[in-house]
Amino acid sequence: MSKYYLDYLEQLESESIHILREVAGQFEKPALLFSGGKDSITLVRLAEKAFRPGKFPFPLVHIDTGHNFTETIEYRDRMIKRLNEKLIVRYVQDSIDQKRAVEQKGKNASRNTLQTVTLLDAIEEFKFDACIGGARRDEEKARAKERIFSVRDEFGQWDPKRQRPELWNIYNGKIHKGENVRVFPISNWTELDVWNYIKKEKIELPEIYFAHKRDCIIRNGQLMAASEYLNMDHEDTIFEKTVRFRTIGDITCTAAVESSADNIDTIIEEIKSSKTSERGARIDDKQSEAAMEERKKGGYF
Amino acid sequence: MNILRFITAGSVDDGKSTLIGRLLYDSNAVMEDQLEAIKASSRKNDDGTIDLAILTDGLKAEREQGITIDVAYKYFNTDKRKFIIADAPGHIQYTRNMVTGASNVDLAIILIDARKGVIEQTKRHSYITSLLGIKNIVVCINKMDLVGYSEQVFNDIVSAYKSFASKLKVKEIIFIPISAINGDNIVSGSTHMPWYKGKYLLDYLENVEVFTDAKQESPRFTVQWIIRPQTRELHDYRGYAGRIISGVYKKGDKIIVQPSCITSTIKKIETFDGEFEEAFAPMSVTIHLEDNIDISRGDMITPVSQQPPVTREIEADICWMDSKPLEVGSKYLFRHNSSGVKSIVKEVLYKTNVNTLEKVENDITVNLNDISRIIIRTANPVAVDEYDKNRVNGGFILVDEKSNLTVAAGMIAANVE
C-alpha cells in the first residue's frame, strides 16, 4: 500500500468527523448526549478533532439518572473543566418529583427507561433539533437497522419502517418544527474499534473500566455493584470481587464482569477472546427480544 | 488493516440472511449470549438447527414475517481485513433500501437460488449494483445442496448470468457455488463440490482489491464548517473544515473556489493532530488559504488545473424513493455533498425497465422504486462530476421541501449545458 491510504481506525475517525461537521452545518440547536461511558468519551474526542481550535458548536448534555457510579461523575466534571465547554445536566429525579416519570418497583427496578422522559423534556426545554449519541450498530440488532441521521417525530419516536434512505455521505437533516434527529457518528464502529481508538489516542477513562476490587451481589445470574440504589434484601449476599465494567449506564442495570484486566492492552485482549457481547451485561436488553426496539420507538436514544 | 464494505442482495428466501449469519458465526463474530437469544426465539428450523437468519433480522416485524425490511449493518473481521456488511432487503417494494445499502459499498454479493436460476430480482439487483457504480460482483449460487451439488446446474446459471451481465458496467464478476445453510464454500472450501476450483467466499473477500488510488483522482473538497475561534490568540484564524472527497491536496496548490470562481493558494493543511504537507481522500482536514476570501459551507475548493464542470443543468439517472410520484415542473432541494440548492425537474427522458434493461419512453410517470433519466435545473451553479468518474461528487439526493423526505437518489450522467 502507498502512503495515500488510511488505516481502518483513521477511516472510521474521518467518517465520524465528517458526520459531526454535518450536524454543525445543518442544525440550529444541536446537543451532544454525554453519559460518561467510553462511547460518549470517544465522541468528545472526535468533536475536538472536528472543531478545534474553535469551540464546540453544541453543549454537552448529561441525562443523570441519579444512580451513578461516583467515578463517572468525577470523571465528567474533570473532563468538562479541561475542555472548557458547556455542560447541561438534567435529572431523572426531577422528572420523578414532578410526577412526569414513575419510579419502577421491585427487585429489578431501574431508572434506565425513565431517562427517556427526562431526555424528551430536555429536548423540548432547549429546543434541541439534533442530539448526537454514541450508540453503535454492533451493539444490538435493532440498532443495526438505524440510520446515522435518525429522524424522530414530535414525540421522540423512531419508526423503523419509515426511515429515510441514506445515500453516499449525504445526510438529510431537514425536519419540521418539533421533530428532532438523533445522530450517531460512531454507528460503524465496533466495541473493539472504540477500545483500539482509546488506546491510540491515549484517552483517559473513568477508573471503573479497569479491574478493581468492589462489593458485589449476584442478581439474575449477573454480577452487580452493591449500592444503595439496588433493592437488596436478606437473600442477597455481599461479597468482594475483582471486577471491571464493560459498559456503563445506570448502576442498577449495568453488570460487572470478573476480570483482572487493569490496562488498555489487557482489556483489548480480554474483549478479543470474550464469548459474550457487550450488551450481555445490560439487564434492560434482556427483558424481551425486542426490548431495545420498543424503547427506541418510545423515544429512547 | 483496511475495511471492505459490501452489500448482499438477492430475492426473498434466497438465503441472504443465512449467508451473513454463517459468515458472522463461522468467523466468531456471534457471541454466546446472542446465540442463546436466538435459540430461545420461537423461530427455529424444522430439524431443530439454529436459524442463523435471525441474527440479521433485527426488527419485530421482520421476525414476524420472516423477511428483511430494511438494511442492517453487520461487522466482522479476520486477521486480514475488517468487513462492514450492508444486508439489503430483497423485496421489490424495498428497492430504495437496496439503493441505500449499495450507495457506499465497494462490492456486491448477489445470491441466486440454484433451483430457480437467474430471475427478475437477480437482474434488478445486478442493474442497481452497476448503476450505483460498484465494480466488483460476487455471484453466489446458493442451495447447491438442493440440486445435488451439480456442476451442470452451476454452469448453466453462470452462462445465463453472463449473457445478461454483458450489458452492465461492472469490472469483475466471479461465481461461487455455495450452500449457506451447510457452510459450503463460505469460510472454507467444500468437499461436496470437488469440481469447483475457485476461491471460497471469505478467501475472495479477504483478498479482492477494490480501492482506487487517490493520486489518480481529481482533487475535490467541499467546505462543511468554518472554524473561526476569534479569540485573542487566534484572532485571524480562519480554517475551512471538510472532508477530501477525492484526490490529493498539497500546501502551495493554486486553487479555485466554486461557485464564486475566486482563486487563491493553499497556505496550510491541518488536523487536530498537526500540519500536513499534503492530504488525501478520505481525510477530514482543515484548509487555510493565503487570501481572506468569502467562502461558505457547501463551496467546493479544487485545484485550478483540475476543476469540475460547473453547471445549472444536469442530466441524471434517479431512483425514485417516495410513494408520491415525481412531478415534472416541481421544485426539490438538490443536495450534493454539503450544499443544498433549489432545483426543478424539467423533463423525464425515459424510464429503465430494470428487468430487461430496456428504455421505456412511452410511459414517463415516475413512481416509487422506478429508475429514470431526467433533466434537472438548479437555482445556482453546482460543481459536479459525472458519477462514473467520481462516485461522491457525482451523487446527489432530492428532498421534497414540504415533507422534508429524501425522494430520490441521483447519479449524474452528463452535463447538459
Side-chain angles (χ1 to χ4, degrees):
Chain A
M1 279 289 173
S2 69
K3 59 177 176 157
Y4 297 102
Y5 153 79
L6 292 186
D7 132 280
Y8 81 95
L9 273 181
E10 293 168 332
Q11 276 190 53
L12 291 174
E13 179 193 65
S14 176
E15 178 179 81
S16 304
I17 293 171
H18 174 258
I19 294 162
L20 284 169
R21 287 171 174 167
E22 280 304 295
V23 175
Q26 290 195 35
F27 296 94
E28 297 283 325
K29 291 214 71 182
L32 189 150
L33 300 178
F34 183 79
S35 68
K38 64 180 189 313
D39 300 311
S40 49
I41 289 169
T42 299
L43 278 186
V44 168
R45 172 53 53 90
L46 291 165
E48 289 183 86
K49 297 228 179 190
F51 304 111
R52 289 292 184 246
K55 294 279 277 183
F56 291 0
F58 38 69
L60 274 59
V61 174
H62 182 207
I63 302 300
D64 187 338
T65 63
H67 292 174
N68 299 297
F69 293 92
T70 350
E71 296 91 332
T72 315
I73 300 297
E74 283 168 9
Y75 176 91
R76 177 195 76 189
D77 295 340
R78 240 182 2 257
M79 190 195 72
I80 284 295
K81 222 169 147 184
R82 174 183 72 78
L83 286 175
N84 192 23
E85 295 287 347
K86 189 176 175 195
L87 172 73
I88 293 170
V89 185
R90 283 297 174 268
Y91 299 91
V92 170
Q93 185 62 52
D94 290 342
S95 303
I96 294 168
D97 294 345
Q98 293 157 12
K99 309 248 184 300
R100 295 188 52 75
V102 180
E103 190 98 79
Q104 290 182 357
K105 294 196 175 71
K107 262 198 154 181
N108 296 322
S110 153
R111 285 183 167 183
N112 191 51
T113 49
L114 306 189
Q115 286 181 84
T116 303
V117 177
T118 317
L119 170 63
L120 295 180
D121 284 352
I123 288 172
E124 199 154 318
E125 180 187 348
F126 294 98
K127 307 271 179 283
F128 292 135
D129 48 5
C131 294
I132 303 160
R136 308 186 320 267
R137 285 173 176 152
D138 80 322
E139 282 178 77
E140 206 276 338
K141 56 187 180 300
R143 273 284 310 139
K145 294 271 168 182
E146 197 165 10
R147 301 283 189 252
I148 289 173
F149 271 39
S150 178
V151 179
R152 306 297 177 93
D153 67 13
E154 67 265 45
F155 303 101
Q157 298 178 113
W158 180 56
D159 183 351
K161 282 194 181 175
R162 297 199 41 176
Q163 299 199 81
R164 289 179 184 174
E166 202 156 80
L167 297 132
W168 301 287
N169 304 312
I170 309 175
Y171 300 99
N172 174 9
K174 283 242 169 226
I175 48 171
H176 295 290
K177 222 179 156 73
E179 293 176 336
N180 79 85
V181 179
R182 307 291 169 84
V183 182
F184 304 109
I186 59 166
S187 282
N188 285 326
W189 298 45
T190 64
E191 182 189 16
L192 202 54
D193 296 335
V194 170
W195 279 105
N196 280 322
Y197 190 70
I198 286 167
K199 179 184 171 183
K200 180 177 165 226
E201 292 288 318
K202 301 186 180 67
I203 301 171
E204 190 208 337
L205 287 181
E207 300 91 67
I208 49 174
Y209 277 113
F210 304 96
H212 58 282
K213 284 199 167 79
R214 181 177 286 269
D215 282 345
C216 298
I217 65 160
I218 295 279
R219 180 64 55 88
N220 302 320
Q222 303 256 34
L223 262 180
M224 304 295 291
S227 79
E228 55 183 304
Y229 307 119
L230 217 53
N231 291 332
M232 292 194 284
D233 56 32
H234 61 279
E235 285 174 8
D236 295 312
T237 339
I238 297 179
F239 50 90
E240 194 185 74
K241 272 251 184 267
T242 303
V243 297
R244 65 174 206 90
F245 292 85
R246 197 165 162 190
T247 167
I248 297 178
D250 187 305
I251 200 167
T252 59
C253 68
T254 311
V257 287
E258 239 185 301
S259 168
S260 57
D262 56 3
N263 64 57
I264 298 263
D265 292 314
T266 47
I267 286 174
I268 289 173
E269 280 316 304
E270 187 182 282
I271 292 166
K272 272 188 184 165
S273 57
S274 172
K275 293 277 175 230
T276 54
S277 79
E278 183 184 1
R279 282 268 155 189
R282 294 297 276 260
I283 313 282
D284 40 325
D285 282 355
K286 301 200 156 178
Q287 292 178 349
S288 82
E289 198 183 5
M292 174 66 99
E293 183 180 346
E294 294 302 330
R295 268 182 293 147
K296 291 169 82 65
K297 282 182 183 168
Y300 189 78
F301 106 93
Chain B
M1 204 193 292
N2 59 36
I3 303 177
L4 181 78
R5 297 177 194 238
F6 65 92
I7 187 171
T8 51
S11 190
V12 187
D13 295 330
D14 276 354
K16 275 193 320 292
S17 300
T18 309
L19 171 70
I20 293 170
R22 176 62 65 187
L23 277 172
L24 296 172
Y25 185 71
D26 286 357
S27 62
N28 296 319
V30 185
M31 297 294 157
E32 275 172 6
D33 54 313
Q34 293 167 329
L35 215 52
E36 258 166 48
I38 296 167
K39 284 180 191 157
S41 152
S42 52
R43 206 171 123 213
K44 266 197 200 112
N45 293 325
D46 294 339
D47 59 0
T49 54
I50 308 161
D51 185 353
L52 290 171
I54 293 186
L55 279 173
T56 62
D57 286 342
L59 302 174
K60 216 168 151 186
E62 294 179 319
R63 292 189 293 273
E64 280 162 8
Q65 299 172 47
I67 58 159
T68 309
I69 293 171
D70 208 339
V71 187
Y73 293 90
K74 292 283 162 190
Y75 306 83
F76 73 101
N77 65 282
T78 65
D79 292 337
K80 289 192 177 155
R81 204 170 234 177
K82 284 185 68 75
F83 298 95
I84 299 180
I85 315 175
D87 174 20
H91 264 260
I92 292 177
Q93 68 185 110
Y94 302 119
T95 297
R96 63 176 194 163
N97 292 339
M98 194 210 149
V99 172
T100 293
S103 73
N104 42 22
V105 299
D106 316 300
L107 174 148
I109 294 180
I110 294 189
L111 267 98
I112 293 178
D113 184 330
R115 297 167 306 171
K116 296 180 189 155
V118 176
I119 56 170
E120 279 193 7
Q121 281 294 77
T122 316
K123 295 179 182 173
R124 172 180 283 265
H125 289 152
S126 302
Y127 174 65
I128 291 171
T129 299
S130 152
L131 187 70
L132 269 290
I134 298 168
K135 297 292 175 226
N136 297 66
I137 290 184
V138 185
V139 180
C140 283
I141 296 157
N142 190 25
K143 308 199 182 183
M144 288 301 291
D145 51 315
L146 300 183
V147 295
Y149 296 106
S150 157
E151 183 177 10
Q152 188 58 47
V153 170
F154 176 74
N155 287 340
D156 289 348
I157 294 172
V158 169
S159 61
Y161 189 91
K162 276 184 174 165
S163 82
F164 154 80
S166 60
K167 295 171 217 158
L168 302 175
K169 291 182 284 187
V170 180
K171 214 169 73 188
E172 181 176 274
I173 302 175
I174 73 142
F175 300 87
I176 307 178
I178 65 164
S179 161
I181 210 145
N182 297 330
D184 289 289
N185 283 332
I186 296 173
V187 291
S188 56
S190 165
T191 51
H192 294 117
M193 291 171 276
W195 47 265
Y196 173 71
K197 305 288 182 223
K199 285 183 168 172
Y200 57 89
L201 180 61
L202 188 60
D203 186 21
Y204 180 77
L205 295 176
E206 281 182 322
N207 295 298
V208 60
E209 192 56 72
V210 291
F211 302 98
T212 47
D213 184 357
K215 242 164 74 177
Q216 305 300 319
E217 300 177 312
S218 300
R220 301 285 181 258
F221 174 90
T222 314
V223 177
Q224 287 186 275
W225 182 250
I226 294 153
I227 298 179
R228 190 109 213 271
Q230 292 182 295
T231 55
R232 196 178 305 158
E233 308 84 63
L234 297 167
H235 188 77
D236 296 319
Y237 187 103
R238 184 195 289 267
Y240 304 103
R243 197 176 188 195
I244 300 175
I245 293 167
S246 53
V248 181
Y249 281 79
K250 286 188 193 68
K251 203 170 142 174
D253 277 353
K254 298 261 176 277
I255 60 91
I256 182 161
V257 181
Q258 302 289 7
S260 64
C261 290
I262 301 169
T263 56
S264 185
T265 306
I266 294 180
K267 184 166 78 179
K268 190 163 85 172
I269 301 171
E270 66 172 353
T271 71
F272 184 74
D273 300 305
E275 273 188 56
F276 293 83
E277 285 299 308
E278 58 178 14
F280 54 91
M283 286 172 74
S284 282
V285 297
T286 303
I287 289 179
H288 296 256
L289 300 178
E290 291 288 358
D291 308 281
N292 204 350
I293 51 181
D294 178 26
I295 297 181
S296 7
R297 173 176 155 82
D299 286 358
M300 182 166 280
I301 298 175
T302 67
V304 176
S305 56
Q306 287 168 287
Q307 296 178 47
V310 179
T311 176
R312 286 184 59 197
E313 198 152 301
I314 291 161
E315 192 174 321
D317 292 308
I318 58 162
C319 172
W320 194 252
M321 301 184 146
D322 198 26
S323 49
K324 209 174 96 188
L326 165 74
E327 285 174 42
V328 174
S330 278
K331 295 189 178 74
Y332 298 96
L333 183 73
F334 178 92
R335 285 221 48 178
H336 170 247
N337 296 314
S338 297
S339 76
V341 296
K342 283 187 192 295
S343 72
I344 187 164
V345 175
K346 280 182 66 182
E347 201 182 337
V348 176
L349 298 173
Y350 57 84
K351 285 205 290 193
T352 300
N353 178 330
V354 292
N355 302 316
T356 60
L357 304 191
E358 281 161 3
K359 287 181 187 175
V360 183
E361 289 176 270
N362 49 1
D363 169 20
I364 48 166
T365 46
V366 179
N367 296 307
L368 179 66
N369 295 323
D370 276 348
I371 291 180
S372 52
R373 177 67 68 96
I374 62 165
I375 294 177
I376 195 162
R377 186 163 178 85
T378 54
N380 301 306
V382 285
V384 293
D385 285 296
E386 286 168 31
Y387 190 79
D388 278 351
K389 292 189 183 142
N390 191 316
R391 244 176 117 185
V392 181
N393 203 40
F396 65 90
I397 61 170
L398 295 180
V399 177
D400 183 317
E401 296 206 278
K402 282 189 215 83
S403 68
N404 287 334
L405 296 175
T406 301
V407 293
M411 288 135 283
I412 291 158
N415 296 303
V416 176
E417 238 168 42

